[in-house]
C-alpha cells in the first residue's frame, strides 16, 4: 500500500506581524433576522449591508486601519451555516491575507450528521501560535443497523516570507470506523463487531526530531502474521506516514469471508491488524506488518504520530 509523496496543495498569501482577526470571532448573534453585532471597543463601524442572515461592515481602528468584516448565517431544520471573515481594506496597504471562520452542521431525515469546521488566518492575520489553516470534518450515520463514522483533520503551518509565504509544517489525520457490519451477512456477530482505519501524515516543523519505528515481518508462521517488516527511520522535518487497520468480530463464523469472518482467530472471534509506516521524504519503500491474532498496532511512535489508535 503506497500513497503519493506529494502533500495536499494549499496556497496562501504573504504573512506579516498581526495574529488572528482584528477582533475576536463570534461577537454577534441573530434570531433569524438581521445580525446583531455591537461595534467593538476602540473601533468605528461603517455598515454596508445588514439584512436577514448577512452583515457587511468596515471596522476602522484608532490608527485608521480598515478591515471589511463579513458575517453570513443561515439556519433551517436540516442544520446551520455560519461564516465570519475579515479582509484588510486599508488604503494603499500591501497587507494581503484573510481571517476566516466557518462552521457547518447538517442532519438529514435518516439521522446522518455532518459537522465541518474551518479556520484560516493567513497574511496579516497569521497567528504563529496556531495553524494557518485548520479543517475538521465529522460524519456519522447508521444504515440498517450498521454504524459508520468518519473524521478528518488537516492543519497547515505557514511562515512569513516571499509572496505566497512558505508551508513549514502539516498534519493530516483520517479515521473511519464501522460497527456491526456483519448484520448485513448471513453470519452476524454475537458480540463486538468493530472495524477501524486510521491514516496519519506529519511533516515539516511538526516532526521535531528524528526517530525510528520497527515492524515484524515474515510468513504466516505460528503467530498468524506476516508482511515485509523492517525498520523505518526519519530526520527532523521529514514527512512521515502511518496506516493502521484493526478488526474485532466476536462470534463471527470461521472459515468464510462473510462480514470479514475467517480472517483469523479462534473460538468464534475474528481478529486482524495491519500496519504500514513510510518516510515520504526518501525513496525507500514502506514497512508493513499484519497479524491475525491482534487488533491494535504492534508498534507505534509518539511523536510524531500522536496517541496510538485503538478500536473504539
Amino acid at each position: 500500500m503506497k500513497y503519493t509523496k506529494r502533500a495536499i496543495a494549499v496556497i496562501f498569501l504573504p504573512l506579516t506581524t498581526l495574529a488572528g482577526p482584528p477582533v475576536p470571532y463570534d461577537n454577534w448573534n441573530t434570531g433569524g433576522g438581521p445580525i446583531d453585532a455591537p461595534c467593538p471597543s476602540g473601533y468605528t463601524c461603517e455598515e454596508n449591508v445588514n439584512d436577514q442572515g448577512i452583515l457587511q461592515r468596515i471596522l476602522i481602528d484608532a490608527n485608521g486601519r480598515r478591515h471589511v468584516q463579513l458575517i453570513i448565517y443561515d439556519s433551517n431544520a436540516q442544520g446551520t451555516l455560519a461564516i465570519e471573515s475579515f479582509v484588510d481594506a486599508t488604503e494603499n496597504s500591501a497587507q494581503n491575507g484573510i481571517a476566516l471562520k466557518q462552521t457547518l452542521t447538517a442532519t438529514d431525515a435518516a439521522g446522518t450528521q455532518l459537522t465541518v469546521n474551518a479556520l484560516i488566518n493567513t497574511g496579516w492575520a497569521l497567528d504563529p501560535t496556531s495553524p494557518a489553516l485548520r479543517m475538521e470534518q465529522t460524519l456519522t450515520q447508521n444504515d440498517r443497523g450498521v454504524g459508520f463514522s468518519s473524521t478528518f483533520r488537516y492543519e497547515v503551518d505557514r511562515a512569513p516570507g516571499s509572496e505566497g509565504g512558505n508551508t513549514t509544517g502539516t498534519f493530516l489525520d483520517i479515521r473511519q470506523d464501522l460497527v456491526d457490519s456483519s448484520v448485513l451477512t448471513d453470519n452476524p456477530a454475537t458480540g463486538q463487531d468493530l472495524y477501524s482505519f486510521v491514516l496519519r501524515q506529519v511533516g515539516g516543523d511538526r516532526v521535531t526530531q528524528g526517530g525510528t519505528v520497527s515492524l515484524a515481518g515474515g510468513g504466516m508462521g505460528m503467530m498468524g502474521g506476516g508482511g515485509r517488516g523492517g525498520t523505518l527511520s526519519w530526520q527532523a522535518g521529514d514527512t512521515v506516514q502511518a496506516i493502521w487497520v484493526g478488526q474485532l468480530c466476536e462470534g463471527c463464523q470461521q472459515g468464510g469471508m462473510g462480514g470479514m469472518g475467517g480472517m483469523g482467530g479462534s473460538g468464534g472471534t475474528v481478529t486482524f491488524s495491519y500496519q504500514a509506516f513510510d518516510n515520504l521524504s526518501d525513496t525507500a519503500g514502506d514497512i508493513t506488518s499484519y497479524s491475525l491474532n491482534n487488533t491494535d498496532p504492534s508498534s507505534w511512535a509518539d511523536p510524531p504520530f500522536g496517541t496510538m489508535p485503538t478500536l473504539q
Side-chain angles (χ1 to χ4, degrees):
M1 187 177 294
K2 186 74 171 179
Y3 283 73
T4 178
K5 294 181 181 289
R6 292 187 178 180
I8 297 174
V10 181
I11 301 176
F12 292 106
L13 299 170
L15 310 176
T16 53
T17 57
L18 292 184
V23 297
Y25 292 113
D26 301 324
N27 187 27
W28 56 272
N29 60 77
T30 178
I35 292 172
D36 178 19
C39 190
S41 176
Y43 286 82
T44 300
C45 297
E46 298 178 357
E47 289 192 358
N48 303 121
V49 178
N50 191 355
D51 205 341
Q52 181 171 333
I54 184 171
L55 168 65
Q56 180 176 292
R57 64 183 180 179
I58 298 176
L59 307 182
I60 308 170
D61 67 16
N63 297 316
R65 189 170 184 181
R66 302 162 67 90
H67 288 91
V68 177
Q69 180 186 26
L70 175 64
I71 302 172
I72 298 174
Y73 180 82
D74 188 27
S75 177
N76 56 37
Q78 283 71 50
T80 61
L81 171 67
I83 302 173
E84 182 175 7
S85 65
F86 298 87
V87 176
D88 189 342
T90 306
E91 186 176 358
N92 298 322
S93 173
Q95 303 292 340
N96 294 316
I98 189 171
L100 179 144
K101 179 180 180 181
Q102 177 176 304
T103 301
L104 168 69
T105 62
T107 303
D108 67 11
T112 299
Q113 296 182 331
L114 174 67
T115 301
V116 180
N117 296 301
L119 188 66
I120 301 175
N121 291 313
T122 64
W124 55 266
L126 176 70
D127 181 351
T129 66
S130 64
L133 167 67
R134 178 188 291 119
M135 297 183 64
E136 299 173 324
Q137 176 178 294
T138 301
L139 174 68
T140 60
Q141 59 185 144
N142 190 292
D143 181 19
R144 294 172 290 173
V146 179
F148 173 77
S149 65
S150 175
T151 60
F152 172 89
R153 176 184 167 201
Y154 182 56
E155 297 180 352
V156 176
D157 301 326
R158 305 289 287 183
S162 59
E163 183 71 20
N166 300 298
T167 295
T168 61
T170 58
F171 178 82
L172 173 66
D173 185 2
I174 299 173
R175 176 164 185 144
Q176 295 180 334
D177 296 282
L178 273 174
V179 180
D180 295 332
S181 61
S182 65
V183 301
L184 302 180
T185 74
D186 295 332
N187 303 294
T190 58
Q192 294 186 91
D193 180 7
L194 308 172
Y195 178 89
S196 296
F197 166 87
V198 170
L199 182 150
R200 292 183 188 165
Q201 189 181 110
V202 193
D205 61 16
R206 298 296 184 97
V207 181
T208 59
Q209 61 189 39
T212 62
V213 64
S214 298
L215 291 174
M220 294 290 288
M222 294 296 293
M223 297 302 293
R228 288 189 295 277
T231 297
L232 184 80
S233 301
W234 62 85
Q235 302 297 321
D238 284 351
T239 297
V240 289
Q241 180 173 273
I243 295 174
W244 165 73
V245 177
Q247 182 192 11
L248 172 64
C249 191
E250 296 176 332
C252 287
Q253 178 177 331
Q254 302 297 299
M257 293 304 293
M260 294 296 288
M263 289 292 291
S266 60
T269 296
V270 174
T271 57
F272 177 71
S273 178
Y274 169 85
Q275 283 184 261
F277 293 103
D278 197 3
N279 185 340
L280 304 182
S281 296
D282 64 25
T283 58
D286 58 0
I287 61 173
T288 65
S289 178
Y290 65 87
S291 170
L292 305 183
N293 293 324
N294 298 290
T295 60
D296 294 339
S298 61
S299 184
W300 199 254
D302 178 17
F305 296 113
T307 304
M308 184 179 77
T310 60
L311 289 174
Q312 294 181 349

